[in-house]
Amino acid sequence: AKHEGKATYHFFEPALDEAARRRRQMELDLRAAIKDGGFTLNFQPLYNLAERRLTGFEALIRWNHPVRGRINPAEFIPLAEETGLIIPIGEWVMREACRLASKWPSDVTVAVNVSAKQFAAGGIASTVMSALSSSGLPAHRLELEITESIFIADVETTLTTLHSLRNIGVRIALDDFGTGYSSLSYLRSFPFDKVKIDRSFIEDLGTSTSGHAMIRAITMLAEALGMETLAEGVEDVAQFEVLEREGCQNIQGYLFSRPVEADAVFGLLREGAGY
Ligand code: C2E
Ligand code: CA
Ligand code: CA
Ligand code: CA
């Protein structure tokens, strides 16, 4: 048994070291990227079904790593949140998204993802206001996408911040709706402008009939509360048709367009809705 314990120790230890080493390296690389401008924003169109119109774009961060090439956010946002680097990264995203969107037509909005850590740190309202004033983007063209995890911290402070952002005209969307533990109760606590129905519900549409019922229930509830709905991750026409039939107002997904580089936004705007 003694032997086994020792063998186990020797077997796992180098692996742990390797994981920790990679993490540390990634943190150093993230710090360098913040300093040297190693990030870019991609934009994915949001469509309004009734208006048959492209109404805005969601800003999605990309990291151009000097060695590893393009790294998607799922790989580095969690580490950025753990290390606090999400604060400077989030400030950059806000400034850059507003700057680029200020060059778009005046009826096109930009949606920016805001991490719970940015809310907890307290500076989000001033970050937003300074990004708006330096870009000249009107507040009503900015939408913040938050997840219910922002309520885990301090509900009162969070609500105060949301209300103050709302008061200057910024729109607030609840992202990944339906994936958390108490999504419904958060709908009651704050008047969101929009609810983004998580992709997992859209995936279900092809395979189960209860998927339709979920979409119908969410859109009816949102409507009763005066909130818009948007379905994320719409990939095929069958999903699209169900969503339209069940009264979902807005759509986002590969069916219409993948996220594109900032320059390609103008091409998508010229094409119109493209369906
Ligand atoms: P999210 O906010 O739920 O963003 C939607 C994700 O779904 C994006 O992945 C988008 O590219 C992807 N997507 C869109 N349409 C489809 C589709 O039809 N099918 C499939 N399979 N996927 C689709 P992405 O860009 O890799 O971003 C992943 C997550 O990283 C985001 O999820 C968001 O939570 C986070 N993120 C991205 N940009 C930022 C940012 O600037 N700040 C913060 N805090 N988080 C960000
Ligand atoms: Ca989002
Ligand atoms: Ca989402
Ligand atoms: Ca998500």
Side-chain angles (χ1 to χ4, degrees), residues 21-23 25-27 29-30 63-72 74-76 79:
R21 197 195 60 75
R22 286 177 57 127
R23 235 183 81 101
Q25 186 59 52
M26 185 132 136
E27 182 181 343
D29 292 350
L30 269 180
W63 179 11
N64 306 310
H65 190 280
V67 178
R68 295 174 55 199
R70 201 177 91 167
I71 303 182
N72 282 328
E75 227 188 295
F76 67 89
L79 181 65

Side-chain angles (χ1 to χ4, degrees), residues 161-172:
T161 307
L162 287 177
H163 281 290
S164 68
L165 287 164
R166 172 55 98 42
N167 285 343
I168 63 170
V170 173
R171 289 162 49 87
I172 312 285

Side-chain angles (χ1 to χ4, degrees), residues 152-254:
I152 288 166
D154 174 357
V155 180
E156 283 306 309
T157 315
T158 301
L159 287 176
T160 307
T161 307
L162 287 177
H163 281 290
S164 68
L165 287 164
R166 172 55 98 42
N167 285 343
I168 63 170
V170 173
R171 289 162 49 87
I172 312 285
L174 184 57
D175 204 353
D176 301 346
F177 181 77
T179 56
Y181 289 108
S182 34
S183 302
L184 280 183
S185 71
Y186 294 115
L187 285 191
R188 199 176 50 178
S189 62
F190 184 80
F192 296 97
D193 296 286
K194 187 190 279 179
V195 167
K196 296 190 77 171
I197 308 169
D198 192 71
R199 185 162 78 229
S200 53
F201 291 100
I202 315 310
E203 277 169 10
D204 280 354
L205 288 181
T207 53
S208 77
T209 46
S210 64
H212 298 217
M214 288 302 299
I215 299 295
R216 183 178 311 163
I218 296 172
T219 53
M220 282 174 66
L221 177 66
E223 196 185 339
L225 294 169
M227 302 174 190
E228 265 181 67
T229 46
L230 179 145
E232 306 188 297
V234 181
E235 294 184 353
D236 60 51
V237 176
Q239 294 167 338
F240 170 85
E241 284 170 349
V242 175
L243 290 161
E244 191 170 43
R245 193 164 62 236
E246 301 301 349
C248 182
Q249 290 146 315
N250 302 282
I251 299 277
Q252 174 181 11
Y254 295 170

Side-chain angles (χ1 to χ4, degrees), residues 44 58-62 72-74 77 86 93 113-115 118 145 175-176 199 232-235 253-254 259:
Q44 188 178 29
E58 177 178 1
L60 295 159
I61 193 170
R62 300 291 180 258
N72 282 328
I77 293 286
I86 192 67
V93 169
N113 291 285
V114 179
S115 150
Q118 289 173 268
E145 296 195 0
D175 204 353
D176 301 346
R199 185 162 78 229
E232 306 188 297
V234 181
E235 294 184 353
Y254 295 170

Side-chain angles (χ1 to χ4, degrees), residues 93-104 110 127-139 141-142:
V93 169
M94 193 65 69
R95 250 182 297 115
E96 183 69 356
C98 291
R99 184 182 74 83
L100 290 166
S102 71
K103 303 176 197 315
W104 303 345
V110 66
T127 299
V128 166
M129 284 191 266
S130 106
L132 289 175
S133 70
S134 65
S135 64
L137 186 78
R141 289 177 55 198
L142 175 63

Side-chain angles (χ1 to χ4, degrees), residues 7-27:
T8 309
Y9 174 84
H10 280 296
F11 184 75
F12 281 110
E13 189 64 9
L16 279 175
D17 275 356
E18 175 59 16
R21 197 195 60 75
R22 286 177 57 127
R23 235 183 81 101
R24 230 167 5 245
Q25 186 59 52
M26 185 132 136
E27 182 181 343

Side-chain angles (χ1 to χ4, degrees), residues 29-39 85-86 88-89:
D29 292 350
L30 269 180
R31 289 186 189 278
I34 292 166
K35 203 155 64 68
D36 309 337
F39 302 105
L85 293 174
I86 192 67
I89 293 173

